[in-house]
Amino acid sequence: MAYIKRDIEALVLDTSKEYAGIMITGPRQVGKTTMLRQLMDDSRRYVTLDDMDERKMAKEDPALFLSLHPVPVLIDEVQYAPELFSYIKIAIDNGAAPGDFWLTGSQSFRLMELAQESLAGRIAIFHLTALSQHEIYGSGKNTPFILELSKLQERAQRGMQTDVTGIYQRIWNGAMPGMISGKYTNRETFYSSYLQSYIERDVSDMVERIDKLGFLDFIRAAACRCGQLLNIHDIASDVGCSADTAKRWLGILEKSDVIFYLRPYSNNLLKRTIKTPKLYFFDTGLVAYLTKYSSPEILVNGAINGAILENYAVAEIRKSYTNAGMDCLMHYYRDRDSKEVDVVIEADGELHPLEIKKSTRPGSELTSTFKVLDASSVPRGTGAILCLREELSAVDRQNYIVPIWMI
């Protein structure tokens, strides 16, 4: 099994020279522990709280646990023993050396709450998702997706060009390290086991006596609506649960990094915008599995082909920022007159509109809706059509045509 270098590695190592503690959060099986074990030297000890004996000690006697596992130490799945956090705080306040504590955990929201309670300002926190397109197919240094011509031309040199078939192969393959690295070869078995493990461990840990079969059906119903406006009542109706239950279950999926949302862009001058978020999955391979597409050839002509392409592009843009240690102010726009912009990125005091289309020859009319943003108090900058064209091009000086393989 080949190790796949992660874009965030250099940032983690550099930050570890300044902070006594770093924490890597993210969903299960995205490579948090693998990356840190690849980066650590022989002086660092490793302990996982998946080991029930270690977990029991960490919860019942945190001081003894830390004495038995002296720094520098990597503590895996630290969310299982929140009792450790106050003791780590004391150690840091007493002069722990940079890089003494490396922590990982699979419940990002819970870990953020714990860190804010005990370790605010004392540790650096990074979020790791499934592999990015750049990590799998690219070369050189990752940079956040920016609509500057010189930056786009640089991206074209670092990516691996592909066509429509290639993009949908990537979408269908997904981005889980276990599959991409070749550790696992049976895709059906991998995703089936992944979901069972996720529900048995993370979901059951967050909600007692959850209807596991009902929750699995719920994930499938949500996957059918990736890249669309969230309609809680429709999803609830599909699986026969209440809207309140659907809302709680969506909260679980978000807290465990299976899904994320794009919120609508709005300000005081855009009064007719709708308030509903759009739903996306972090891994399109999981979406393809849940929606029962057995091959990329079938997916490319399937009912969700446009929505899953948008999901893929949005997730990749987000990863390009996350892996650079940066926040991405990314929204979408839609108003009550049905004027819509798929993605709006706010950067450097400008709004950058994006349309995402399953087309190799997108028309210039697709950029006409970008004008709705001119009413905003934030000026509109360069826009783009993200599509399946193989080469970088332009509609005009203000709007580029960007191949999705370049993100």
Side-chain angles (χ1 to χ4, degrees):
M1 179 186 71
Y3 174 74
I4 299 173
K5 182 178 175 61
R6 307 307 299 263
D7 285 334
I8 205 170
E9 287 181 13
L11 184 59
V12 168
L13 288 175
D14 288 344
T15 305
S16 190
K17 296 174 184 177
E18 300 176 354
Y19 284 78
I22 61 168
M23 180 187 294
I24 310 294
T25 69
R28 288 194 175 277
Q29 297 188 38
V30 296
K32 301 181 298 295
T33 306
T34 301
M35 179 187 73
L36 290 181
R37 296 196 76 170
Q38 181 78 15
L39 296 178
M40 73 186 212
D41 57 31
D42 293 339
S43 68
R44 187 175 301 274
R45 295 165 177 81
Y46 168 77
V47 58
T48 176
L49 299 190
D50 275 335
D51 183 314
M52 297 305 294
D53 291 332
E54 297 287 4
R55 186 187 306 182
K56 183 174 184 292
M57 184 189 303
K59 292 179 68 65
E60 295 181 357
D61 196 337
L64 176 60
F65 175 88
L66 293 176
S67 294
L68 291 172
H69 302 289
V71 295
V73 62
L74 165 55
I75 305 175
D76 199 13
E77 301 296 355
V78 71
Q79 77 275 1
Y80 289 131
E83 295 82 0
L84 284 173
F85 281 70
S86 59
Y87 286 82
I88 293 174
K89 171 184 178 294
I90 292 170
I92 293 174
D93 288 346
N94 286 338
D100 270 355
F101 296 97
W102 285 6
L103 313 173
T104 79
S106 300
Q107 295 175 15
S108 299
F109 275 51
R110 175 60 177 152
L111 279 170
M112 291 297 287
E113 291 172 356
L114 291 169
Q116 288 168 1
E117 289 171 6
S118 303
L119 297 173
R122 294 174 175 85
I123 64 170
I125 301 173
F126 298 100
H127 186 74
L128 194 67
T129 65
L131 292 162
S132 70
Q133 183 174 235
H134 176 261
E135 288 170 326
I136 303 171
Y137 307 106
S139 61
K141 183 180 179 181
N142 167 71
T143 56
F145 180 76
I146 297 173
L147 287 178
E148 293 179 11
L149 183 56
S150 61
K151 300 295 184 183
L152 292 173
Q153 290 170 330
E154 288 175 10
R155 300 188 80 83
Q157 300 300 315
R158 296 197 305 267
M160 181 183 292
Q161 186 178 35
T162 190
D163 57 10
V164 175
T165 301
I167 286 293
Y168 276 89
Q169 182 73 57
R170 294 180 185 187
I171 290 171
W172 187 82
N173 286 345
M176 298 301 286
M179 286 297 299
I180 300 299
S181 67
K183 180 179 181 180
Y184 304 106
T185 57
N186 188 306
R187 183 174 176 277
E188 294 291 311
T189 300
F190 173 81
Y191 277 112
S192 174
S193 300
Y194 178 82
L195 286 168
Q196 290 178 42
S197 175
Y198 163 64
I199 292 172
E200 291 290 342
R201 300 176 70 180
D202 286 349
V203 176
S204 297
D205 188 54
M206 287 186 274
V207 182
E208 292 184 4
R209 297 186 297 276
I210 192 169
D211 176 1
K212 296 176 182 177
L213 292 177
F215 187 78
L216 182 58
D217 288 340
F218 180 83
I219 302 176
R220 289 197 178 98
C224 291
R225 291 168 172 79
C226 73
Q228 300 177 27
L229 292 175
L230 176 64
N231 190 320
I232 292 175
H233 293 282
D234 279 0
I235 300 176
S237 177
D238 279 357
V239 297
C241 68
S242 69
D244 285 342
T245 297
K247 188 178 295 186
R248 286 196 302 272
W249 285 359
L250 283 167
I252 292 170
L253 292 176
E254 185 182 17
K255 289 178 180 178
S256 48
D257 289 318
V258 174
I259 65 169
F260 66 97
Y261 297 110
L262 274 195
R263 307 290 175 181
Y265 178 78
S266 180
N267 63 32
N268 292 336
L269 299 179
L270 298 171
K271 299 182 183 299
R272 293 180 57 78
T273 53
I274 63 173
K275 306 301 181 185
T276 307
K278 292 176 77 171
L279 172 68
Y280 298 91
F281 277 66
F282 277 106
D283 180 40
T284 54
L286 178 60
V287 174
Y289 169 79
L290 287 166
T291 51
K292 304 301 182 185
Y293 284 96
S294 58
S295 72
E297 293 76 20
I298 296 175
L299 177 61
V300 72
N301 295 309
I304 67 168
N305 63 55
I308 201 169
L309 180 68
E310 179 178 326
N311 192 138
Y312 181 75
V314 170
E316 289 301 320
I317 292 171
R318 179 171 172 146
K319 289 175 191 176
S320 78
Y321 280 82
T322 301
N323 290 343
M326 298 172 62
D327 292 328
C328 181
L329 298 179
M330 186 162 53
H331 308 271
Y332 80 96
Y333 175 90
R334 185 169 182 177
D335 60 29
R336 294 185 180 92
D337 298 323
S338 296
K339 294 177 181 176
E340 184 172 3
V341 180
D342 289 336
V343 176
V344 179
I345 298 176
E346 186 172 358
D348 296 325
E350 293 183 327
L351 300 178
H352 300 277
L354 307 174
E355 278 293 307
I356 303 168
K357 296 298 177 185
K358 185 199 169 195
S359 171
T360 57
R361 300 177 63 85
S364 59
E365 72 279 357
L366 294 174
T367 65
S368 62
T369 57
F370 294 174
K371 295 177 182 178
V372 299
L373 298 176
D374 291 343
S376 169
S377 58
V378 182
R380 175 163 63 100
T382 309
I385 302 171
L386 306 184
C387 64
L388 298 177
R389 188 184 182 101
E390 292 185 41
E391 296 180 350
L392 178 65
S393 185
V395 174
D396 50 43
R397 289 181 177 272
Q398 193 65 15
N399 299 289
Y400 300 121
I401 298 174
V402 181
I404 287 175
W405 65 261
M406 281 177 48
I407 299 174

